[in-house]
Amino acid sequence: MSSTSADHRALRRAGLIRAVALVLVGLAIAFTATLHESFAFDHWLLSTSLTVIGAVTLVEYWALRSTLESWWVAARAVIAFAAAGALIAVADDVSLALVIVFWAMLTAVITLMRLLRGVQPRRVAVPSALLSLALAVVTLLVREDPVAVIGFFGAYAVIRGVFLGISAFDGGSVGAAPDADTSAPRTESAI
């Protein structure tokens, strides 16, 4: 077994783990809809969701750790953990929404930076960045409605999870971006 095929399999596995985790986060939010009137529950659910997202992003980092670009993935994990930690300090609905806005915006920026550096395929990075930016904008618009905020976060998680799962099975997605150096493994994730 070559190192490249082992890297490819590790990236695919990491993508699938992240996809499953995101879909489960979205489903947990959907199936607890009757509890979303409680700020304490929303607070706990979002903190837990961001912690899970950070943890599964570390799985992706582990698969890419031998590449120079792995620190972008590590930064995404740190941002998710920081957002989960920041939620500890919030005491109102607007602050909770702003944490989600900043997390989504920073995630989109990292995705765009990876696209510009040529380490993430355009057909994966562009939709990922757009989804993250859309979450940030929509959350900012409905920031005073915690039910809408958590609902949009859950929808984002399901859409990103499905998209990531599809791209993990698409053999072309875990490859080099057009005109990019092919010596290092690539990844298709953007959360």
Side-chain angles (χ1 to χ4, degrees), residues 47-71:
S47 293
T48 302
S49 297
L50 288 168
T51 301
V52 167
I53 289 169
V56 296
T57 302
L58 285 177
V59 172
E60 178 185 358
Y61 165 77
W62 189 257
L64 289 169
R65 70 190 178 283
S66 62
T67 68
L68 294 175
E69 298 296 328
S70 64
W71 74 275

Side-chain angles (χ1 to χ4, degrees), residues 7 12 57 115 190:
D7 291 341
R12 178 174 283 169
T57 302
L115 173 65

Side-chain angles (χ1 to χ4, degrees), residues 2 7 20 34 53 55 73 79 83 94 96 134 138 141 153 163-165 176:
S2 72
D7 291 341
V20 168
T34 58
I53 289 169
V73 178
I79 290 167
V94 173
L96 184 133
V138 170
L141 293 174
F153 181 83
F163 181 74
L164 186 58

Side-chain angles (χ1 to χ4, degrees), residues 1-13 63 171 174 182-186:
M1 170 172 55
S2 72
S3 173
T4 304
S5 72
D7 291 341
H8 181 76
R9 269 195 293 240
L11 285 173
R12 178 174 283 169
R13 190 175 320 118
V174 185
T182 59
S183 62
R186 309 291 187 223

Side-chain angles (χ1 to χ4, degrees), residues 11-142:
L11 285 173
R12 178 174 283 169
R13 190 175 320 118
L16 290 174
I17 290 169
R18 288 189 60 232
V20 168
L22 285 166
V23 169
L24 290 177
V25 161
L27 291 176
I29 290 170
F31 286 115
T32 59
T34 58
L35 302 172
H36 295 303
E37 293 294 328
S38 166
F39 176 78
F41 181 78
D42 290 347
H43 187 266
W44 172 84
L45 188 57
L46 285 173
S47 293
T48 302
S49 297
L50 288 168
T51 301
V52 167
I53 289 169
V56 296
T57 302
L58 285 177
V59 172
E60 178 185 358
Y61 165 77
W62 189 257
L64 289 169
R65 70 190 178 283
S66 62
T67 68
L68 294 175
E69 298 296 328
S70 64
W71 74 275
W72 289 102
V73 178
R76 244 187 23 243
V78 168
I79 290 167
F81 289 131
L87 286 174
I88 294 170
V90 302
D92 61 274
D93 297 332
V94 173
S95 299
L96 184 133
L98 291 177
V99 169
I100 299 302
V101 167
F102 287 120
W103 168 77
M105 288 175 61
L106 290 172
T107 298
V109 167
I110 288 173
T111 302
L112 290 174
M113 293 303 296
R114 293 183 71 217
L115 173 65
L116 293 174
R117 292 182 57 81
V119 295
Q120 190 166 26
R122 176 175 293 141
R123 66 183 176 151
V124 175
V126 171
S128 297
L130 290 176
L131 281 170
S132 294
L133 286 174
L135 176 63
V137 169
V138 170
T139 301
L140 192 58
L141 293 174
V142 298

